């Protein structure tokens, strides 16, 4: 499922010194944010609500322009050559970013054609991607008739159509049943083994612990910890797992 | 398939599956065309209560013209326009303005009518007394009225009747004056011829004989001039033009809704990570909507060509300038899509878009003369209607379909529609950029 001609495999994603303050906001949504993702690496981005995860993903995927800093995708500057860099990116948004009245196959075909995939190749990829997420039997079912889990899997399948080198996954398992979650995590692990790098945000700490090779914890727009999950937990006294570490770093106060 | 075409087909598919949207786009205007055309078939378009601007050209510049003008000025709802920009109006210019729908009628008082009518009155009385017909009687002069082809029925006949009555009253005055003069002279001459040498009793004076039918002979007439159009406009043509414009503008609802749904569902975010410019995606969306507007227009045309004749109404005729019709419908569709883009980018929720879009279209339609002719509105509303895209659309389509106009005759309206589309697209693009910078996608 890997794109055939990646220009640089050293760092699929390299972000340095990213900062963003929204107009009319008093505090920055993100400041001095740096991160890298290598081939086959799954980097978990954890943080409480409002920590800056969505802003970080938006900046890294080129949806927002930063106030400062740079993002390179497979060696290509995202903001200088956005079209070239976007070819390597796949985005799985938190919301079901599909056309509800189109079928799963139609959705995949449409997004695939945006990458100029056509004809038999397009059909073959639609079938393969639906097969990957276990939706081959529902190819001609409308998205709005799917269950939550099926919609999540279709959401992931669309992002795989152009065989991206780098996947941005924004809470891809939110609100799905354990079976669908298990399948999604299995597929992500397979993709990782095939060399696809991933940036993964989730509120399920055990999920991050299970599939992420590296974790970055952010809060109030700043990276407050970064490293392998267990190493990070053991480096902080009194923390035996990632969940405890998370609460220790970000506090127990409720966030709006 | 290239991204533009792919987006076009995707949008068409989405619109096709939006059943309630299709109902609004296709069934609503078709039902309106059928119902209103049937209702209006024998109902006269303009009523006596309507306000009418009439161009008044007085070539006579004597008693007659002045009296007719004074009397018409007193008719409620009628405004006489005797000059434009401080300059006198000539007949050709007046007919052009009436043909263009700017004024509802023009009235021409021919030169010399006062003299001719007086001469005819004297002649008629002389004939009545003598019992002989004059050999060289001056021809019957007439006041001519030229109507906008779209003005039919009540207004046409009520104006003609009002003028006829005015002329009759004037005739009576002139005839009475001429008769008084003739009688006075004849009474002085006739007894004098017999009273010379010997006086006679009243019974011996021969009676003054007069033809009793003289009073019925007309001194002048009012004539409604023939329209330049070969066929009179029908309610079908007018309703197809009006309701197809109304229906086309309802594209703002599905288009605005689609933009908001893409933003709400995160599809827009996904689209913006694609290696395709957003402009390409937008053009695909616009192309799909323009195509739908065209299908919608053709559907309404089919209703006018096939369904309405089955109900006993005239067959729809579309004028003779196909390129002008093509350009007009395309620009109307683009202007409507511009409105959809504005609604889609400015409204925050689907509910806002639906409510604001529907209310905006209905208001713009009312102001634009879709429901009530602009000339029948109060002056303030007439002024406001100049700024309604639906008024430009309706004027252009009526000009092409009903008045058999050409590209040249609708260039002003087409420019307005193009400017509206450009302004709306720019506004939507600016708003989109603002949303983008704020990270509100």
């Amino acid at each position: 499922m890997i794109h055939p001609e990646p220009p640089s495999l050293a760092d699929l994603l390299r972000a340095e010194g990213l900062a963003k303050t929204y107009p009319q906001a008093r505090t920055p949504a993100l400041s001095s944010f740096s991160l890298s993702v290598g081939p086959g690496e799954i980097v978990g981005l954890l943080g409480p609500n409002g920590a800056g995860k969505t802003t970080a993903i938006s900046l890294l995927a080129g949806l927002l322009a930063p106030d400062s800093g740079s993002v390179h995708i497979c060696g290509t500057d995202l903001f200088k050559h956005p079209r070239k860099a976007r070819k390597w990116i796949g985005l799985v948004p938190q919301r079901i970013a599909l056309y509800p009245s189109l079928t799963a196959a139609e959705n995949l075909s449409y997004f695939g054609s945006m990458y100029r995939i056509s004809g038999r190749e397009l059909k073959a990829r639609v079938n393969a991607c639906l097969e990957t997420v276990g939706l081959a039997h529902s190819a001609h079912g409308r998205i709005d008739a799917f269950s939550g889990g099926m919609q999540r899997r279709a959401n992931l399948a669309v992002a795989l159509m152009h065989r991206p080198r780098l996947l941005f996954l924004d809470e891809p398992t939110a609100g799905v049943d354990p079976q669908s979650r298990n399948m999604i995590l299995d597929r992500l692990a397979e993709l990782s083994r095939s060399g696809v790098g991933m940036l993964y945000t989730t509120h399920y700490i055990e999920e991050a612990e299970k599939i992420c090779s590296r974790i970055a914890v952010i809060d109030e727009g700043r990276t407050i910890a970064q490293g392998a999950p267990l190493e990070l937990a053991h480096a902080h006294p009194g923390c035996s797992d990632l969940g405890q570490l998370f609460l220790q770093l970000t506090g127990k106060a409720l966030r709006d | 398939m290239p991204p533009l075409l792919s987006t076009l087909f995707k949008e068409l598919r989405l619109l096709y599956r939006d059943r309630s949207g299709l109902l609004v786009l296709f069934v609503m205007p078709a039902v309106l065309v059928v119902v209103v055309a049937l209702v209006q078939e024998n109902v006269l378009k303009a009523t006596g209560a309507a306000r009418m601007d009439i161009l008044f050209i007085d070539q006579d510049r004597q008693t007659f013209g002045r009296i007719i003008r004074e009397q018409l000025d007193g008719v409620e709802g009628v405004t006489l326009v005797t000059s434009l920009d401080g300059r006198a109006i000539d007949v050709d210019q007046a007919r052009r303005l009436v043909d263009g729908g700017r004024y509802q009628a023009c009235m021409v008082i021919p030169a010399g009518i006062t003299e001719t009518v007086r001469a005819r009155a004297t002649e008629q009385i002389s004939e009545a007394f003598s019992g002989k017909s004059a050999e060289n009687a001056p021809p019957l002069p007439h006041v001519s009225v030229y109507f906008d082809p779209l003005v039919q029925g009540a207004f046409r006949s009520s104006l003609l009747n009002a003028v006829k009555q005015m002329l009759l009253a004037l005739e009576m005055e002139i005839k009475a004056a001429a008769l008084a003069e003739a009688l006075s002279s004849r009474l002085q001459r006739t007894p004098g011829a017999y009273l010379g040498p010997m006086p006679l009793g009243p019974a011996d004076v021969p009676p003054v004989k007069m033809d009793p039918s003289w009073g019925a002979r007309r001194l002048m007439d009012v004539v409604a001039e023939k329209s330049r159009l070969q066929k009179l406009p029908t309610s079908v043509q007018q309703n197809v033009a009006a309701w197809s414009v109304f229906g086309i503008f309802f594209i703002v609802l599905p288009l605005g809704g689609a933009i908001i749904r893409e933003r709400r569902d995160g599809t827009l975010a996904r689209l913006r990570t694609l290696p395709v410019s957003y402009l390409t995606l937008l053009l695909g969306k616009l192309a799909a909507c323009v195509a739908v507007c065209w299908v919608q227009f053709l559907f309404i045309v089919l209703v006018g060509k096939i369904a309405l004749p089955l109900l006993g109404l005239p067959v729809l005729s579309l004028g003779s300038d196909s390129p002008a019709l093509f350009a007009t419908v395309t620009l109307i569709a683009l202007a409507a899509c511009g409105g959809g883009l504005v609604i889609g980018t400015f409204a925050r929720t689907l509910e806002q878009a639906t409510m604001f879009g529907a209310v905006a279209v209905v208001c713009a339609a009312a102001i634009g003369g879709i429901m009530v002719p602009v000339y029948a509105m109060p002056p303030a509303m007439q002024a406001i209607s100049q700024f309604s895209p639906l008024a430009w659309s309706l004027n252009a389509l009526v000009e092409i379909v009903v008045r058999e106009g050409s590209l040249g005759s609708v260039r002003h309206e087409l420019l307005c529609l193009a400017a509206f589309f450009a302004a709306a697209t720019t506004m939507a693009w600016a708003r989109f950029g603002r949303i983008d910078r704020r990270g509100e996608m």
Side-chain angles (χ1 to χ4, degrees):
Chain A
M1 295 293 279
I2 300 174
H3 199 284
E5 298 166 8
S8 164
L9 288 174
D11 264 334
L12 297 178
L13 169 71
R14 197 175 70 248
E16 285 170 350
L18 284 178
K20 178 74 185 177
T21 304
Y22 290 111
Q24 295 169 345
R26 278 177 289 176
T27 53
L30 203 68
S31 55
S32 307
F33 181 80
S34 298
L35 189 80
S36 66
V37 179
E41 202 176 17
I42 304 180
V43 177
L45 192 59
L46 305 182
N49 289 336
K53 297 190 299 293
T54 302
T55 301
I57 290 241
S58 299
L59 289 169
L60 297 171
L63 296 174
L64 271 179
D67 297 334
S68 60
S70 65
V71 176
H72 285 81
I73 309 283
C74 298
T76 304
D77 189 319
L78 177 63
F79 301 111
K80 283 186 182 157
H81 308 285
R83 283 201 203 176
K84 192 178 169 192
R86 282 172 185 169
K87 285 181 185 170
W88 316 111
I89 298 174
L91 175 70
V92 182
Q94 188 179 346
R95 288 170 288 183
I96 306 298
L98 301 170
Y99 293 103
S101 60
L102 298 188
T103 66
E106 286 167 348
N107 267 291
L108 266 69
S109 290
Y110 171 64
F111 284 102
S113 68
M114 292 295 106
Y115 292 92
R116 298 189 179 274
I117 308 164
S118 58
R120 286 182 188 169
E121 174 69 8
L122 184 64
K123 275 188 181 171
R125 288 209 199 180
V126 168
N127 292 337
C129 288
L130 288 173
E131 186 72 41
T132 304
V133 297
L135 286 176
H137 63 287
S138 305
H140 302 295
R142 279 169 56 143
I143 296 296
D144 53 10
F146 280 8
S147 68
M150 290 165 83
Q151 288 181 348
R152 282 278 165 212
R153 284 184 273 145
N155 206 27
L156 171 63
V158 167
L160 304 177
M161 273 298 290
H162 61 293
R163 297 177 180 167
R165 293 293 309 170
L166 180 65
L167 269 179
F168 293 109
L169 300 130
D170 195 0
E171 301 189 33
T173 58
V176 301
D177 59 24
Q179 288 80 4
S180 282
R181 176 180 298 178
N182 191 51
M183 178 181 217
I184 290 171
L185 295 180
D186 283 350
R187 294 298 171 265
L188 294 181
E190 280 173 22
L191 286 166
S192 165
R193 283 194 291 277
S194 69
V196 177
M198 286 172 238
L199 183 66
Y200 191 94
T201 76
T202 181
H203 284 297
Y204 302 117
I205 305 291
E206 73 285 2
E207 210 175 88
E209 216 165 26
K210 182 181 170 187
I211 67 161
C212 294
S213 46
R214 207 148 44 86
I215 297 290
V217 182
I218 63 170
D219 197 14
E220 294 175 347
R222 294 174 181 280
T223 309
I224 50 176
Q226 202 169 155
L230 280 178
E231 284 171 20
L232 263 182
H234 293 148
H236 287 76
C239 295
S240 58
D241 60 28
L242 205 53
Q244 287 176 345
L245 170 72
F246 185 78
L247 287 174
Q248 193 182 83
L249 291 173
T250 59
K252 290 185 178 173
L254 293 176
R255 304 297 180 94
D256 292 327
Chain B
M1 193 183 293
L4 182 69
L5 270 184
S6 202
T7 305
L8 167 70
F9 286 124
K10 181 259 296 178
E11 291 296 333
L12 288 175
R13 205 172 262 148
L14 287 174
L15 286 167
Y16 174 71
R17 290 186 187 159
D18 179 5
R19 295 295 149 98
S20 53
L22 288 180
L23 216 64
V24 168
L25 286 179
F26 289 89
V27 179
M28 181 198 65
V31 168
L32 284 170
V33 167
V34 173
V35 172
V36 182
L38 278 169
V39 167
Q40 282 188 347
E41 173 58 6
N42 288 316
V43 177
L44 304 163
K45 184 184 170 195
T47 67
R51 186 178 178 82
M52 305 290 171
D53 290 333
I54 298 171
L55 294 171
F56 186 82
I57 303 173
D58 182 7
Q59 295 173 327
D60 183 48
R61 295 181 185 279
Q62 290 185 48
T63 325
F64 249 57
R66 182 179 49 78
I67 292 172
I68 292 174
R69 182 179 159 181
E70 282 169 2
Q71 292 196 0
L72 270 178
D73 255 343
V75 176
E76 194 185 348
V78 168
T79 306
L80 290 188
V81 178
T82 52
S83 63
L84 293 170
D85 302 325
R87 294 163 72 177
I89 314 158
D90 65 54
V91 176
D92 287 342
Q93 181 193 13
R95 286 181 74 127
R96 272 198 309 276
L97 289 168
V98 171
D99 275 340
R102 179 75 183 80
Y103 296 90
Q104 284 69 62
C106 77
M107 185 179 290
V108 181
I109 311 296
I113 191 169
T114 305
E115 290 308 316
T116 313
V117 166
R118 280 187 181 142
R120 280 180 67 86
T122 310
E123 198 68 43
Q124 278 183 12
I125 287 167
S126 168
E127 285 171 23
F129 281 123
S130 67
K132 293 173 190 168
S133 300
E135 286 177 5
N136 295 318
L140 184 72
H142 62 265
V143 169
S144 61
V145 184
Y146 184 71
F147 286 101
D148 174 359
L150 269 63
V151 172
Q152 297 175 48
F155 173 69
R156 200 178 266 257
S157 51
S158 67
L159 184 71
L160 287 174
N161 284 336
V163 175
K164 264 183 187 164
Q165 281 187 354
M166 258 179 243
L167 297 184
L168 270 174
L170 268 171
E171 268 192 39
M172 291 314 294
E173 276 180 37
I174 290 164
K175 281 179 176 175
L179 181 61
E181 196 179 325
L183 275 177
S184 156
S185 141
R186 191 160 283 269
L187 282 171
Q188 279 176 2
R189 274 190 291 114
T190 310
Y194 298 97
L195 290 174
M198 60 179 75
L200 292 172
D204 298 317
V205 176
V208 176
K209 286 183 182 174
M210 216 178 157
D211 176 4
S213 67
W214 78 277
R217 289 183 214 151
R218 297 300 311 271
L219 295 180
M220 58 189 158
D221 203 1
V222 57
V223 173
E225 297 280 329
K226 204 177 168 189
S227 162
R228 75 179 159 90
L229 298 183
Q230 296 297 313
K231 294 175 193 168
L232 272 181
T234 65
S235 63
V236 170
Q237 283 175 305
Q238 295 177 48
N239 280 298
V240 163
W243 298 113
S244 56
V245 166
F246 188 60
I248 284 173
F249 267 84
F250 264 90
I251 196 76
V252 301
L253 296 187
L255 177 57
I259 293 170
I260 289 170
R261 266 192 296 270
E262 279 186 349
R263 224 163 65 203
R264 183 194 65 187
D265 298 344
T267 325
L268 184 60
R270 174 167 260 158
L271 290 171
R272 293 182 61 238
T273 62
L274 301 174
V276 178
S277 74
Y278 189 65
L279 190 64
T280 306
L281 302 174
L282 201 62
L283 285 176
K285 209 180 273 294
L286 283 179
C289 288
V290 170
V292 166
C293 291
W294 257 106
V295 173
Q296 193 187 4
F297 179 72
L298 294 175
F299 175 69
I300 298 169
V301 166
L302 278 183
V303 169
K305 291 262 185 201
I306 298 168
L308 292 181
L310 295 176
L311 297 169
L313 293 170
V315 180
L316 172 67
S317 152
L318 282 176
S320 51
D321 195 336
S322 303
L325 183 64
F326 177 81
T328 301
V329 174
T330 305
L331 274 164
I332 292 172
L334 280 172
C337 290
L341 291 180
V342 168
I343 285 169
T345 46
F346 278 80
R348 288 177 184 273
T349 62
L350 267 180
E351 290 74 21
Q352 277 183 7
T354 309
M355 203 183 73
F356 180 72
V359 170
V361 172
V362 171
C363 288
I367 293 167
I370 302 281
M371 293 152 190
V372 177
V374 171
Y375 64 76
M377 295 178 188
M381 293 307 289
Q382 288 189 22
I384 293 171
S385 85
Q386 305 292 313
F387 300 100
S388 167
L390 275 90
W392 307 326
S393 305
L394 181 62
N395 290 345
L397 208 53
V398 163
E399 178 66 23
I400 302 292
V401 172
V402 184
R403 299 180 200 277
E404 295 174 4
S406 63
L407 210 50
S409 60
V410 292
R411 65 182 183 281
H412 171 73
E413 283 81 5
L414 297 192
L415 278 173
C416 286
L417 287 169
F420 178 78
F421 169 66
T425 311
T426 309
M427 263 174 74
W429 195 259
R431 171 73 181 169
F432 184 78
R434 192 176 155 88
I435 293 170
D436 192 11
R437 281 191 298 279
R438 288 178 161 194
E440 292 172 3
M441 290 290 181

